[in-house]
Amino acid sequence: MSEPAVTVARYLGTTTAEGPGVRTAVWVQGCTIRCAGCFNPHLFAVEGGVPWSPAELAARVLSEPSGGLTLLGGEPFDQAEGLAAVASQVRAGGRSVLTFSGYTHASLRRAAAAGRPGVAGLLAATDLLIAGPFQRDRIDHERPWAGSTNQEFVVLGDRFPDLVHWREGAVDRLQVDVDRSGTVAVNGWLDTDRLDALLAALD
Ligand code: SF4
């Protein structure tokens, strides 16, 4: 039986703003967690996005000049079955997988133990999990990539042996892309005040 398609809201072939080194970032459509203050409320609805077969998506990721895949959302574990297939193929191709989730690691382990489809598989194919809901009253100004201080860094695989080194040397980055039509697309992490100031400066 083939895995379900993955609904992709945004695909970025290379970025240095979504984890250690150069990575391919995939934002999935749909999030049932809906944290207050989420930066991506347009990704809450399951409607929208573009369906990709897991095999197509994994092949595209493996064609990029990047060190691995970062899954963001939306909520990756709301599409765990399809993404487990993508992530395992990316790892089989020698790349790393970083998965962001609004669920805590403990709740994901419980879901995996209860047999929720794809959850055990996506955990097994994730090297670094950054887990927990975004809490806007606990903005994280210290750790790269995390939005709020409650979020956990959980090393699950062997592809980030230098994570401590990466975190010591890393800073939050923001990537701003402007296409020929003038459309601005932003990714990475910056708190709201600094992001507003930057976008105002961009006019
Ligand atoms: S889990 Fe992530 S995408 Fe979902 S509401 Fe929270 S911050 Fe936003």
Side-chain angles (χ1 to χ4, degrees):
M1 197 176 70
S2 62
E3 296 83 7
V6 173
T7 309
V8 174
R10 187 179 174 198
Y11 179 96
L12 198 53
T14 56
T15 178
T16 57
E18 305 294 355
V22 179
R23 309 193 61 75
T24 300
V26 172
W27 287 261
V28 296
Q29 183 72 41
C31 177
T32 53
I33 301 175
R34 306 194 171 190
C35 312
C38 171
F39 271 40
N40 292 324
H42 57 293
L43 302 184
F44 286 177
V46 293
E47 297 81 20
V50 176
W52 288 65
S53 78
E56 275 179 320
L57 184 53
R60 176 79 181 271
V61 172
L62 289 170
S63 76
E64 305 287 0
S66 76
L69 169 65
T70 296
L71 295 170
L72 316 96
E75 172 50 51
F77 281 89
D78 286 354
Q79 301 192 50
E81 257 186 299
L83 289 175
V86 175
S88 65
Q89 288 169 49
V90 167
R91 286 194 93 253
R95 313 278 178 101
S96 63
V97 175
L98 190 172
T99 305
F100 284 85
S101 177
Y103 297 108
T104 63
H105 185 214
S107 70
L108 289 171
R109 280 183 302 181
R110 284 195 296 275
R116 201 176 118 197
V119 174
L122 184 51
L123 286 173
T126 291
D127 293 289
L128 173 62
L129 177 72
I130 300 181
F134 173 64
Q135 296 183 354
R136 64 180 167 191
D137 56 342
R138 298 176 67 182
I139 296 293
D140 194 327
H141 297 288
E142 301 295 327
R143 301 176 301 170
W145 317 310
S148 54
T149 56
N150 60 298
Q151 293 171 326
E152 327 158 75
F153 282 64
V154 187
V155 177
L156 298 173
D158 59 1
R159 304 276 163 92
F160 291 110
D162 297 326
L163 189 63
V164 172
H165 160 75
W166 276 110
R167 281 182 48 179
E168 282 173 353
V171 293
D172 281 327
R173 291 172 186 268
L174 197 72
Q175 179 168 327
V176 180
D177 293 300
V178 183
D179 70 15
R180 288 173 186 274
S181 70
T183 301
V184 177
V186 175
N187 68 286
W189 168 252
L190 208 59
D191 63 57
T192 314
D193 291 345
R194 288 189 294 166
L195 180 61
D196 286 348
L198 175 70
L199 293 179
L202 286 174
D203 198 21

